Amino acid sequence: SRHFCIEPFDPLPCFSEAPGTMQIHRAVLRAAVGVCGVRALLQVALSARSSTQHAAFAAAGGGIASVAPAPLSSLRGLRLQRFAAVAGSEGAIADGMRVAITWELKRDDTGEVLDNSDAQGPWEFSSGQQGIFPQVDDGVRGMTVGEQRTISLGDDAFGPVDPKRVIEFPLEKLPEGVTVGGQLQMEGPSGPMLATVKELTDATATLDLNHPFSGLPLTMSVTILTITPAASLEVEVVSPGDGKTFPQAGDKLTMHYTGTLAKDGSQFDSSRDRGDPFQFTIGEGQVIIGWDVGVMKMSLGERAILKIPSKMGYGSRGAGAAIPPNADLVFDVELLKIN
């Protein structure tokens, strides 16, 4: 594959170490960067690039493209859903459970199979945590291992078709072998993206930077492979609050806290020691899941101990040197204000 480089900002030169690298017209570039800023609805696995080329382009803030179409690697929903620690019933899926599925994505109007887990492998996600299309996240609730279901994604799963994302591009600046209907793989400022060649003239190419599935009516057939029960969160009341004023998603809270490791009690952080209460918006993913779930159970003025399992904390990645991977956590928290 040939590659070309996007220059997101004028001060950054385009790396030219990769074979076949060529610069894009700055005027066209600015139009391209404008449409690259849209939230990526599909993470595209970029093929035909070596790790050296990838590092060079990443260092330059640039991107690459090739003539070959890209495989689909993972899908992410647009909606942030509040995590609720709900226990499953007879093995049925509930929020917080870890779920693995096989899947097949089809056009609803023609029945054409667009992609499936035979090619890409099964997906694994935590129910209710924005790890997949919202329609699928909702649709699998209550399902059990081995059960199959076809779920409608509607015609906006990959966003609507935006005419502003269709641009004209100098043909001489594109890789050789470009044909109508071909797809160029690009690395834009917001991550991987595809451009579909809609029209060719002697001098220009019309590129559609909308996702190839934008505006298409889609369905996804899923089969449940495995279900892992939700992690358990404990909330122990130290001193009660008013018993009637509870946080709601979107409220701005002011809290004091002291965080320790469950295994040995060693302290890793404390707003009390700093004399500086912590403020955040609950239910919007600004804090770890254990906080979003546990603090929802507290009323104004309450002080409580949150015992948070690793899966609802920092998981296998940990957090710096203070919180090792897979560490269960204990927080002594106090709900001071609710705005």
Side-chain angles (χ1 to χ4, degrees):
S1 299
R2 293 290 186 95
H3 302 88
F4 67 87
C5 177
I6 292 179
E7 301 174 284
F9 308 104
D10 283 350
L12 294 177
C14 178
F15 267 62
S16 58
E17 281 80 352
T21 301
M22 56 187 81
Q23 293 186 353
I24 291 179
H25 236 266
R26 289 187 188 277
V28 179
L29 157 70
R30 291 190 179 94
V33 170
V35 296
C36 287
V38 183
R39 283 183 296 181
L41 307 184
L42 173 68
Q43 291 189 330
V44 180
L46 299 181
S47 59
R49 67 178 179 185
S50 69
S51 58
T52 302
Q53 290 169 339
H54 180 268
F57 280 99
I64 62 177
S66 74
V67 179
L72 310 184
S73 62
S74 69
L75 302 168
R76 297 188 180 275
L78 295 177
R79 184 178 65 191
L80 181 64
Q81 298 179 339
R82 182 168 66 85
F83 184 100
V86 180
S89 172
E90 298 181 354
I93 295 172
D95 283 355
M97 292 182 170
R98 194 71 181 165
V99 181
I101 62 172
T102 57
W103 53 274
E104 183 177 71
L105 183 67
K106 286 185 178 181
R107 286 189 61 155
D108 196 28
D109 52 350
T110 66
E112 177 188 0
V113 176
L114 300 175
D115 204 8
N116 56 44
S117 53
D118 290 341
Q120 307 300 334
W123 283 338
E124 189 173 339
F125 61 96
S126 293
S127 178
Q129 287 185 245
Q130 196 197 0
I132 200 167
F133 285 122
Q135 299 92 330
V136 175
D137 206 357
D138 292 339
V140 300
R141 286 188 181 88
M143 294 179 67
T144 57
V145 171
E147 188 175 351
Q148 299 178 350
R149 185 173 293 174
T150 298
I151 300 167
S152 173
L153 304 184
D155 59 4
D156 61 351
F158 290 88
V161 176
D162 185 352
K164 294 180 181 179
R165 299 182 207 173
V166 180
I167 62 173
E168 288 194 356
F169 208 85
L171 185 60
E172 64 182 16
K173 301 298 183 182
L174 294 181
E176 296 178 2
V178 171
T179 59
V180 173
Q183 292 179 337
L184 301 174
Q185 300 174 23
M186 295 182 175
E187 182 79 18
S190 295
M193 58 184 296
L194 290 178
T196 302
V197 181
K198 305 298 289 186
E199 186 178 346
L200 292 173
T201 68
D202 291 340
T204 64
T206 301
L207 301 183
D208 186 353
L209 295 169
N210 288 287
H211 191 279
F213 299 162
S214 293
L216 295 182
L218 302 172
T219 59
M220 180 170 285
S221 299
V222 302
T223 302
I224 308 301
L225 292 180
T226 61
I227 302 172
T228 304
S232 176
L233 168 73
E234 295 182 39
V235 180
E236 296 180 358
V237 177
V238 176
S239 59
D242 66 4
K244 59 182 180 180
T245 310
F246 292 87
Q248 302 294 320
D251 287 345
K252 185 176 181 180
L253 308 186
T254 302
M255 302 188 67
H256 262 316
Y257 70 89
T258 299
T260 58
L261 299 180
K263 67 175 183 179
D264 59 12
S266 58
Q267 180 178 309
F268 55 82
D269 196 12
S270 175
S271 66
R272 295 185 178 93
D273 291 351
R274 292 191 299 271
D276 183 18
F278 174 57
Q279 292 187 334
F280 70 101
T281 301
I282 195 165
E284 294 189 0
Q286 293 184 4
V287 291
I288 58 175
I289 295 170
W291 269 57
D292 263 346
V293 175
V295 174
M296 285 280 196
K297 302 175 183 295
M298 298 174 61
S299 62
L300 183 62
E302 182 175 331
R303 184 167 180 171
I305 302 296
L306 304 182
K307 296 182 178 180
I308 301 175
S310 171
K311 289 183 179 180
M312 299 179 75
Y314 294 95
S316 59
R317 70 186 185 277
I323 302 178
N326 304 310
D328 295 337
L329 306 175
V330 177
F331 284 91
D332 179 343
V333 297
E334 185 176 2
L335 181 52
L336 303 175
K337 296 180 182 177
I338 301 176
N339 282 344

